PDB file of all heavy atoms in Angstrom:
ATOM      1  N   ALA R  19       9.312 -10.588  12.185  1.00 90.00           N
ATOM      2  CA  ALA R  19       8.168  -9.804  11.703  1.00 90.00           C
ATOM      3  C   ALA R  19       7.494 -10.523  10.540  1.00 90.00           C
ATOM      4  O   ALA R  19       6.258 -10.560  10.453  1.00 90.00           O
ATOM      5  CB  ALA R  19       8.625  -8.404  11.289  1.00 90.00           C
ATOM      6  N   HIS R  36      -4.735 -15.285  -3.523  1.00 68.00           N
ATOM      7  CA  HIS R  36      -5.863 -15.948  -4.187  1.00 68.00           C
ATOM      8  C   HIS R  36      -7.081 -16.006  -3.258  1.00 68.00           C
ATOM      9  O   HIS R  36      -8.213 -15.839  -3.709  1.00 68.00           O
ATOM     10  CB  HIS R  36      -5.476 -17.349  -4.661  1.00 68.00           C
ATOM     11  CG  HIS R  36      -4.383 -17.336  -5.670  1.00 68.00           C
ATOM     12  ND1 HIS R  36      -4.532 -16.802  -6.931  1.00 68.00           N
ATOM     13  CD2 HIS R  36      -3.095 -17.732  -5.591  1.00 68.00           C
ATOM     14  CE1 HIS R  36      -3.401 -16.901  -7.594  1.00 68.00           C
ATOM     15  NE2 HIS R  36      -2.508 -17.461  -6.803  1.00 68.00           N
ATOM     16  N   ALA R  38      -7.704 -13.761  -0.986  1.00 69.00           N
ATOM     17  CA  ALA R  38      -8.205 -12.388  -0.944  1.00 69.00           C
ATOM     18  C   ALA R  38      -9.005 -12.055  -2.199  1.00 69.00           C
ATOM     19  O   ALA R  38     -10.085 -11.471  -2.117  1.00 69.00           O
ATOM     20  CB  ALA R  38      -7.042 -11.409  -0.783  1.00 69.00           C
ATOM     21  N   THR R  58       8.682  -7.447  -0.446  1.00 95.00           N
ATOM     22  CA  THR R  58       8.482  -6.336  -1.382  1.00 95.00           C
ATOM     23  C   THR R  58       8.031  -5.095  -0.622  1.00 95.00           C
ATOM     24  O   THR R  58       8.477  -3.981  -0.921  1.00 95.00           O
ATOM     25  CB  THR R  58       7.470  -6.717  -2.477  1.00 95.00           C
ATOM     26  OG1 THR R  58       8.027  -7.793  -3.248  1.00 95.00           O
ATOM     27  CG2 THR R  58       7.163  -5.553  -3.389  1.00 95.00           C
ATOM     28  N   ILE R  62       9.883  -1.442  -0.631  1.00 96.00           N
ATOM     29  CA  ILE R  62       9.159  -0.199  -0.915  1.00 96.00           C
ATOM     30  C   ILE R  62       9.385   0.816   0.204  1.00 96.00           C
ATOM     31  O   ILE R  62       9.651   1.994  -0.054  1.00 96.00           O
ATOM     32  CB  ILE R  62       7.661  -0.492  -1.131  1.00 96.00           C
ATOM     33  CG1 ILE R  62       7.465  -1.210  -2.473  1.00 96.00           C
ATOM     34  CG2 ILE R  62       6.820   0.779  -1.043  1.00 96.00           C
ATOM     35  CD1 ILE R  62       6.096  -1.819  -2.668  1.00 96.00           C
ATOM     36  N   LEU R  91       7.396  -3.689  10.569  1.00 96.00           N
ATOM     37  CA  LEU R  91       8.769  -3.258  10.294  1.00 96.00           C
ATOM     38  C   LEU R  91       9.093  -1.904  10.902  1.00 96.00           C
ATOM     39  O   LEU R  91      10.252  -1.604  11.174  1.00 96.00           O
ATOM     40  CB  LEU R  91       9.012  -3.211   8.782  1.00 96.00           C
ATOM     41  CG  LEU R  91       9.076  -4.561   8.087  1.00 96.00           C
ATOM     42  CD1 LEU R  91       8.971  -4.389   6.574  1.00 96.00           C
ATOM     43  CD2 LEU R  91      10.355  -5.304   8.482  1.00 96.00           C
ATOM     44  N   PRO R 104     -15.872  -3.759   1.291  1.00 91.00           N
ATOM     45  CA  PRO R 104     -16.092  -4.255   2.653  1.00 91.00           C
ATOM     46  C   PRO R 104     -15.559  -5.667   2.880  1.00 91.00           C
ATOM     47  O   PRO R 104     -15.113  -5.997   3.971  1.00 91.00           O
ATOM     48  CB  PRO R 104     -17.606  -4.215   2.829  1.00 91.00           C
ATOM     49  CG  PRO R 104     -18.162  -3.504   1.663  1.00 91.00           C
ATOM     50  CD  PRO R 104     -17.104  -3.390   0.618  1.00 91.00           C
ATOM     51  N   ALA R 111      -9.454  -5.617   9.098  1.00 94.00           N
ATOM     52  CA  ALA R 111      -9.917  -5.191  10.423  1.00 94.00           C
ATOM     53  C   ALA R 111      -9.566  -6.212  11.509  1.00 94.00           C
ATOM     54  O   ALA R 111      -9.562  -5.875  12.690  1.00 94.00           O
ATOM     55  CB  ALA R 111     -11.426  -4.940  10.394  1.00 94.00           C
ATOM     56  N   LEU R 113      -6.611  -7.566  11.788  1.00 94.00           N
ATOM     57  CA  LEU R 113      -5.186  -7.442  12.087  1.00 94.00           C
ATOM     58  C   LEU R 113      -5.020  -6.555  13.309  1.00 94.00           C
ATOM     59  O   LEU R 113      -5.465  -5.411  13.309  1.00 94.00           O
ATOM     60  CB  LEU R 113      -4.445  -6.867  10.877  1.00 94.00           C
ATOM     61  CG  LEU R 113      -4.634  -7.650   9.572  1.00 94.00           C
ATOM     62  CD1 LEU R 113      -3.970  -6.913   8.424  1.00 94.00           C
ATOM     63  CD2 LEU R 113      -4.111  -9.077   9.708  1.00 94.00           C
ATOM     64  N   ASP R 114      -4.372  -7.066  14.322  1.00 93.00           N
ATOM     65  CA  ASP R 114      -4.301  -6.368  15.610  1.00 93.00           C
ATOM     66  C   ASP R 114      -2.860  -5.991  15.944  1.00 93.00           C
ATOM     67  O   ASP R 114      -2.114  -6.793  16.506  1.00 93.00           O
ATOM     68  CB  ASP R 114      -4.906  -7.250  16.700  1.00 93.00           C
ATOM     69  CG  ASP R 114      -5.030  -6.531  18.029  1.00 93.00           C
ATOM     70  OD1 ASP R 114      -5.062  -5.283  18.035  1.00 93.00           O
ATOM     71  OD2 ASP R 114      -5.084  -7.219  19.061  1.00 93.00           O
ATOM     72  N   CYS R 122     -12.849   1.582   6.070  1.00 96.00           N
ATOM     73  CA  CYS R 122     -13.580   1.108   4.898  1.00 96.00           C
ATOM     74  C   CYS R 122     -14.265   2.303   4.257  1.00 96.00           C
ATOM     75  O   CYS R 122     -15.348   2.720   4.688  1.00 96.00           O
ATOM     76  CB  CYS R 122     -14.598   0.040   5.298  1.00 96.00           C
ATOM     77  SG  CYS R 122     -15.389  -0.738   3.874  1.00 96.00           S
ATOM     78  N   ASP R 124     -13.803   5.228   0.522  1.00 94.00           N
ATOM     79  CA  ASP R 124     -13.119   5.658  -0.694  1.00 94.00           C
ATOM     80  C   ASP R 124     -11.906   6.495  -0.297  1.00 94.00           C
ATOM     81  O   ASP R 124     -12.042   7.519   0.379  1.00 94.00           O
ATOM     82  CB  ASP R 124     -14.089   6.490  -1.535  1.00 94.00           C
ATOM     83  CG  ASP R 124     -13.505   6.998  -2.834  1.00 94.00           C
ATOM     84  OD1 ASP R 124     -12.283   6.922  -3.047  1.00 94.00           O
ATOM     85  OD2 ASP R 124     -14.298   7.495  -3.657  1.00 94.00           O
ATOM     86  N   TRP R 132      -4.331  11.709   2.970  1.00 96.00           N
ATOM     87  CA  TRP R 132      -3.598  12.583   2.051  1.00 96.00           C
ATOM     88  C   TRP R 132      -2.654  13.537   2.785  1.00 96.00           C
ATOM     89  O   TRP R 132      -1.944  14.316   2.155  1.00 96.00           O
ATOM     90  CB  TRP R 132      -4.564  13.336   1.132  1.00 96.00           C
ATOM     91  CG  TRP R 132      -5.231  12.373   0.195  1.00 96.00           C
ATOM     92  CD1 TRP R 132      -6.454  11.781   0.368  1.00 96.00           C
ATOM     93  CD2 TRP R 132      -4.709  11.845  -1.019  1.00 96.00           C
ATOM     94  NE1 TRP R 132      -6.706  10.916  -0.668  1.00 96.00           N
ATOM     95  CE2 TRP R 132      -5.656  10.942  -1.544  1.00 96.00           C
ATOM     96  CE3 TRP R 132      -3.520  12.042  -1.730  1.00 96.00           C
ATOM     97  CZ2 TRP R 132      -5.455  10.236  -2.727  1.00 96.00           C
ATOM     98  CZ3 TRP R 132      -3.323  11.345  -2.907  1.00 96.00           C
ATOM     99  CH2 TRP R 132      -4.273  10.449  -3.402  1.00 96.00           C
ATOM    100  N   ALA R 150      -6.019   9.472 -12.798  1.00 95.00           N
ATOM    101  CA  ALA R 150      -6.133  10.934 -12.947  1.00 95.00           C
ATOM    102  C   ALA R 150      -6.611  11.575 -11.648  1.00 95.00           C
ATOM    103  O   ALA R 150      -6.119  12.646 -11.263  1.00 95.00           O
ATOM    104  CB  ALA R 150      -7.066  11.284 -14.107  1.00 95.00           C
ATOM    105  N   ARG R 154      -4.526  14.301  -9.387  1.00 96.00           N
ATOM    106  CA  ARG R 154      -5.090  15.585  -8.935  1.00 96.00           C
ATOM    107  C   ARG R 154      -4.966  15.746  -7.416  1.00 96.00           C
ATOM    108  O   ARG R 154      -4.639  16.823  -6.919  1.00 96.00           O
ATOM    109  CB  ARG R 154      -6.553  15.717  -9.362  1.00 96.00           C
ATOM    110  CG  ARG R 154      -6.727  16.174 -10.809  1.00 96.00           C
ATOM    111  CD  ARG R 154      -8.178  16.505 -11.133  1.00 96.00           C
ATOM    112  NE  ARG R 154      -9.036  15.332 -11.200  1.00 96.00           N
ATOM    113  CZ  ARG R 154      -9.107  14.519 -12.252  1.00 96.00           C
ATOM    114  NH1 ARG R 154      -8.384  14.745 -13.322  1.00 96.00           N
ATOM    115  NH2 ARG R 154      -9.924  13.488 -12.233  1.00 96.00           N
ATOM    116  N   VAL R 165       5.007   9.325  -2.688  1.00 98.00           N
ATOM    117  CA  VAL R 165       3.921   8.509  -3.223  1.00 98.00           C
ATOM    118  C   VAL R 165       4.550   7.369  -4.011  1.00 98.00           C
ATOM    119  O   VAL R 165       5.310   7.615  -4.954  1.00 98.00           O
ATOM    120  CB  VAL R 165       2.983   9.320  -4.153  1.00 98.00           C
ATOM    121  CG1 VAL R 165       1.843   8.439  -4.647  1.00 98.00           C
ATOM    122  CG2 VAL R 165       2.463  10.551  -3.457  1.00 98.00           C
ATOM    123  N   ALA R 187       5.507  -9.351  -7.125  1.00 87.00           N
ATOM    124  CA  ALA R 187       4.128  -9.139  -6.670  1.00 87.00           C
ATOM    125  C   ALA R 187       3.367 -10.440  -6.897  1.00 87.00           C
ATOM    126  O   ALA R 187       3.892 -11.371  -7.510  1.00 87.00           O
ATOM    127  CB  ALA R 187       3.486  -7.987  -7.438  1.00 87.00           C
TER     128      ALA R 187
END
Side-chain angles (χ1 to χ4, degrees):
H36 298 294
T58 296
I62 288 167
L91 290 166
L113 304 174
D114 187 22
C122 187
D124 180 348
W132 292 95
R154 279 189 289 280
V165 182

